Amino acid sequence: MRARLGLLLGVATLGYAVWLRRFLRRHGEDVESLSPLGLAAGAVTAAIHRALYDRDAGRIRTSRRRGLLFGLCRIGWHLLLRRASPDPDAFRHHYGLGKAVGTVLYRVRFGLLRELPGDDE
């Protein structure tokens, strides 16, 4: 159930992003070019996060304290990558989009096509 919800939210996020870019272009607004680094970093980060969460690695799913610490580490990772990026603003916007891409790809593979890792409980 949680895999399908994650997939649905990822698809909705991607759909909204595509709609928003088209809407802005249609109304004469400048739409920034995509940041491949931001997209790739977001996708990889989301896929790794989902894999660790599904497997409950280090008890990040079952321990609130460890989950919070893991979340803080993810925020630090994002800030570190953003600071190292040549265009931090474009990176920030497309990192979120990349997270949606990574979530959708991971959930299609694990959740729809195969069972979730760690679901043998």
Side-chain angles (χ1 to χ4, degrees):
M1 178 66 177
R2 97 186 130 160
R4 289 189 179 124
L5 181 60
L7 177 63
L8 181 64
L9 288 173
V11 169
T13 301
L14 290 176
Y16 174 73
V18 169
W19 174 83
L20 183 62
R21 287 178 69 81
R22 287 181 181 170
F23 177 82
L24 291 174
R25 248 191 237 130
R26 202 174 323 135
H27 287 65
E29 296 289 327
D30 286 336
V31 179
E32 62 187 17
S33 60
L34 291 176
S35 166
L37 180 62
L39 284 170
V44 169
T45 301
I48 290 172
H49 170 251
R50 298 290 172 216
L52 293 174
Y53 187 85
D54 285 348
R55 289 168 177 80
D56 199 18
R59 293 185 28 223
I60 62 170
R61 181 172 24 120
T62 53
S63 169
R64 287 185 184 201
R65 185 179 314 139
R66 289 176 188 232
L68 176 64
L69 288 173
F70 181 69
L72 291 174
C73 288
R74 284 181 45 217
I75 291 170
W77 175 247
H78 172 243
L79 292 175
L80 183 77
L81 289 174
R82 182 178 168 197
R83 185 171 287 174
S85 171
D87 186 359
D89 287 334
F91 179 89
R92 180 175 56 92
H93 289 111
H94 298 111
Y95 182 84
L97 186 59
K99 282 176 40 180
V101 169
T103 297
V104 168
L105 293 175
Y106 182 83
R107 287 298 178 214
V108 165
R109 176 162 176 137
F110 296 107
L112 284 182
L113 300 178
R114 295 182 181 185
E115 283 188 30
L116 289 177
D119 256 5
D120 45 282
E121 304 159 359

